[in-house]
Amino acid sequence: RLLKADGCTTQVDRYELQGSDRAAAERAYRLRMSLTEDDDVFVWLSLFDAAGAPQVRLLKTGIGAGGAEIDPTVTYGDYREVGGVRVPHVWTVVEGLAEQPRLVAIIQGSRAIPDAPPAMFTPPEGTVP
């Protein structure tokens, strides 16, 4: 299942590695997820850090229809460790292949919730896991 921005979840019908690409000025691998009831979701992942050491990072996300990417997309950067997890603190809405910035959101601070109750991660009642 995939958690959407509106807080709802949806079922991934199928996914496909579409090959290598560039995102946020870095080499990336593009993954296309076809959703059961919605458009496609595209995810660009980096598998290595700048020194070539293994490190998986989310570089970019986008929504598409009929297998084609729809502008705008969002790039992610300024990863900082928060509670043992690296979290992006800059989100940039970009348009086009040149990734022209349209809006930048900078996270000023973040913190981990040390004792998150298990119910926080339970699907809402009536949903199918």
Side-chain angles (χ1 to χ4, degrees), residues 47-61:
L47 301 181
F48 302 98
D49 66 11
Q55 181 185 66
V56 177
R57 285 181 300 129
L58 175 65
L59 296 178
K60 182 176 167 181
T61 58

Side-chain angles (χ1 to χ4, degrees), residues 6-126:
D6 61 6
C8 296
T9 60
T10 187
Q11 188 71 38
V12 176
D13 185 43
R14 61 187 158 84
Y15 56 90
E16 160 190 15
L17 177 62
Q18 293 191 310
S20 63
D21 200 350
R22 291 200 60 81
E26 295 189 40
R27 183 175 177 189
Y29 293 93
R30 180 172 148 159
L31 180 66
R32 173 184 169 195
M33 294 181 285
S34 297
L35 307 180
T36 303
E37 299 174 9
D38 292 306
D39 295 323
D40 295 336
V41 173
F42 295 94
V43 178
W44 287 259
L45 300 169
S46 170
L47 301 181
F48 302 98
D49 66 11
Q55 181 185 66
V56 177
R57 285 181 300 129
L58 175 65
L59 296 178
K60 182 176 167 181
T61 58
I63 307 274
E69 177 187 336
I70 297 175
D71 286 340
T73 56
V74 178
T75 61
Y76 304 90
D78 188 17
Y79 278 80
R80 300 180 202 164
E81 189 165 321
V82 179
V85 177
R86 295 188 56 80
V87 178
H89 283 68
V90 175
W91 297 20
T92 305
V93 176
V94 298
E95 289 185 331
L97 291 175
E99 296 180 343
Q100 294 296 315
R102 297 295 178 228
L103 175 72
V104 178
I106 300 172
I107 310 305
Q108 296 295 321
S110 59
R111 63 182 173 83
I113 302 172
D115 296 317
M120 181 179 276
F121 303 99
T122 303
E125 228 176 276

